[in-house]
Amino acid sequence: MQKHWKTRLIHSDARIPEGFRSLNTAVHRASTTLFPDAAAGTDQWDVHEVGYSYGLYGTPTVLELAARMCELEGGHRTLITPGGQSAISLIQLAFLKAGDHVLIPESVYGPSRSFSNRVLRKFGVEVTYYDPLIGGGIESLIQPNTKLIWCESPGSITMEVQDVPAIAAAAHAHNALVVLDNTWAAGVLFDAFAHGVDVTMQALTKYVGGHSDLLLGSITVNDPKLWQQLGATHQVVGCAASPDDCSLALRGLKTMAVRLQAIESSAMQIAEWLRNRPEVERVLHPALGSCPGHEFWKRDFSGSSGVFSIVFRPEYTKAQVQGFVNALELFKIGYSWGGVTSLAVAYDFAGWASRPAYGHRIVRLNIGLEDTGDLIADLEIGLAAMVQARA
Ligand SMILES: Cc1ncc(COP(=O)(O)O)c(C=O)c1O
């Protein structure tokens, strides 16, 4: 057919050489996926079974990231979501229904708690929060309708390391699923499936992305039946991940080992230094004996990452603790961790009867890739400012 130039803008006959090869996964952006003939059209979601059918279920860039994450975590299949929080909510929506009961650790990531309170409860799911250090004692909280036990190890901010194998043993004795938020361990420093977990998720936003410039999540299951439940829910919830972000995450994966190694070493040095400071009551770093559940870190993890918390001595006021954070120059104030920039955030647990009595004295640090000596010098300035503010 002789084509008008307007048509050629859309249907071009231009050709380029074939056979291009490079080290990088191409970025395939697509909502529309083409079918070879009318009969082949389908809207089924399982690309592994039916082939590509709709952008929502993933382009090759998204599926490449999913396959890489699945390989790293040793699961059956992985689903990529637009962020860690959407991974959390999708898991809950896929595996819970009205009348079910879910157990969630008190130390869970805040927005995950809000999802349970605001959405799960609204739809008739019973939610109980448990002491993250309960271990096998969780059995006493399991009810006939308990379908899912959430774990996050170490917990957000307060850093309790959980006895995941003991929780999994109790859960499986009562046919409940065990889900783990494995973000702190970047999916690699704790082998979730080897420790009895059924479903893992992580915010790829953190160490996989690694540069504070994307939001992504992953959900990995170890059982084809769970994959069917998850995929069918993902299809109708409709949260698709961006291929551009997935491409950045694929790039992040290539350097994650060296970043994690450098971050682990720097964080350890800084945690040890803080432990010896007179202003600090307690360092909540999983690799130190002062962290609740340290023995489980020692038993189950192959390393540590760069997020930990410090608790100041009781004499420091909230204004002083905030003054410490404000006086830091290299440590920026921001929530999303796992990038190359060090961060500090002050939290206040005052009035939370179910949380440890750290009150306003807790600060979470994210250690980035700056020089360790410079970071320590920065913390020293912050501590001096905090102490002086008392005078
Ligand atoms: C432990 C943990 N899980 C999940 C999330 C949520 O990830 P995202 O920011 O990608 O939604 C975060 C974010 O801070 C987190 O710290």
Side-chain angles (χ1 to χ4, degrees):
M1 185 206 286
Q2 192 62 28
K3 294 178 193 136
H4 189 277
W5 69 265
K6 286 184 188 170
T7 302
R8 271 192 277 123
L9 291 177
I10 319 288
H11 302 274
S12 170
D13 293 323
R15 293 289 172 260
I16 57 168
E18 292 190 355
F20 175 75
R21 293 173 65 220
S22 87
L23 296 170
N24 309 313
T25 307
V27 182
H28 291 277
R29 297 188 194 92
S31 53
T32 310
T33 304
L34 299 182
F35 300 101
D37 54 49
T42 176
D43 186 28
Q44 291 180 49
W45 63 269
D46 195 346
V47 177
H48 295 276
E49 298 297 324
V50 298
Y52 294 97
S53 63
Y54 198 74
L56 172 63
Y57 316 135
T59 72
T61 315
V62 181
L63 293 195
E64 174 80 27
L65 178 61
R68 297 283 192 100
M69 294 314 304
C70 195
E71 181 186 40
L72 269 182
E73 296 197 28
H76 166 67
R77 287 254 192 275
T78 296
L79 187 83
I80 302 297
T81 64
Q85 179 63 13
S86 53
I88 291 168
S89 55
L90 192 61
I91 290 169
Q92 313 266 26
L93 291 172
F95 299 118
L96 291 169
K97 62 178 186 322
D100 288 348
H101 174 233
V102 59
L103 284 163
I104 295 179
E106 290 280 2
S107 53
V108 76
Y109 172 60
S112 176
R113 187 186 196 103
S114 303
F115 181 82
S116 304
N117 292 345
R118 289 191 219 152
V119 181
L120 291 183
R121 282 184 167 146
K122 184 168 81 173
F123 289 113
V125 174
E126 207 184 328
V127 180
T128 302
Y129 293 98
Y130 69 88
D131 174 357
L133 297 169
I134 197 169
I138 196 133
E139 188 143 27
S140 66
L141 300 179
I142 296 177
Q143 307 174 174
N145 60 341
T146 305
K147 290 289 152 53
L148 196 156
I149 301 182
W150 193 274
C151 296
E152 183 186 326
S153 182
S156 280
I157 307 157
T158 44
M159 305 302 296
E160 297 89 343
V161 185
Q162 297 197 264
D163 188 350
V164 172
I167 292 174
H172 293 156
H174 295 271
N175 294 319
L177 280 180
V178 179
V179 181
L180 174 71
D181 184 332
N182 206 13
T183 306
W184 185 86
V188 290
L189 304 176
F190 177 79
D191 185 346
F193 294 124
H195 289 92
V197 171
D198 303 298
V199 180
T200 67
M201 58 79 33
Q202 46 164 324
L204 304 180
T205 309
K206 316 299 181 202
Y207 288 120
V208 173
H211 296 77
S212 313
D213 56 2
L214 62 87
L215 284 145
L216 281 176
S218 67
I219 305 170
T220 303
V221 295
N222 65 353
D223 174 337
K225 276 200 298 266
L226 298 179
W227 174 244
Q228 290 303 317
Q229 259 177 289
L230 184 67
T233 307
H234 174 251
Q235 177 178 36
V236 291
V237 170
C239 51
S242 149
D244 288 284
D245 289 345
C246 290
S247 155
L248 288 173
L250 284 164
R251 181 161 77 170
L253 276 177
K254 295 180 189 182
T255 58
M256 191 173 79
V258 283
R259 282 187 285 110
L260 278 178
Q261 209 171 15
I263 284 169
E264 174 176 34
S265 152
S266 190
M268 278 310 306
Q269 288 176 61
I270 293 167
E272 299 273 10
W273 182 82
L274 282 164
R275 183 164 65 164
N276 294 316
R277 290 293 307 199
E279 303 86 350
V280 175
E281 180 183 86
R282 193 166 185 182
V283 178
L284 304 172
H285 185 302
L288 296 182
S290 49
C291 189
H294 163 71
E295 62 274 28
F296 306 123
W297 175 83
K298 212 166 158 185
R299 185 190 66 190
D300 298 337
F301 284 66
S302 61
S304 57
S305 60
V307 172
F308 66 95
S309 297
I310 48 177
V311 183
F312 289 112
R313 289 193 186 281
E315 59 263 36
Y316 295 104
T317 63
K318 183 168 180 167
Q320 280 179 290
V321 172
Q322 289 182 343
F324 161 75
V325 170
N326 291 339
L328 300 171
E329 183 191 335
L330 301 179
F331 284 82
K332 303 298 179 194
I333 304 168
Y335 286 119
S336 195
W337 46 272
V340 300
T341 311
S342 293
L343 303 170
V345 180
Y347 288 90
D348 191 347
F349 286 109
W352 278 54
S354 58
R355 304 308 331 274
Y358 302 140
H360 62 260
R361 298 177 291 126
I362 185 163
V363 172
R364 185 185 71 181
L365 301 177
N366 169 67
I367 305 304
L369 289 177
E370 302 93 338
D371 177 73
T372 309
D374 286 353
L375 291 177
I376 288 176
D378 201 28
L379 291 168
E380 205 159 13
I381 291 168
L383 292 173
M386 182 176 81
V387 172
Q388 275 160 23
R390 186 169 23 181

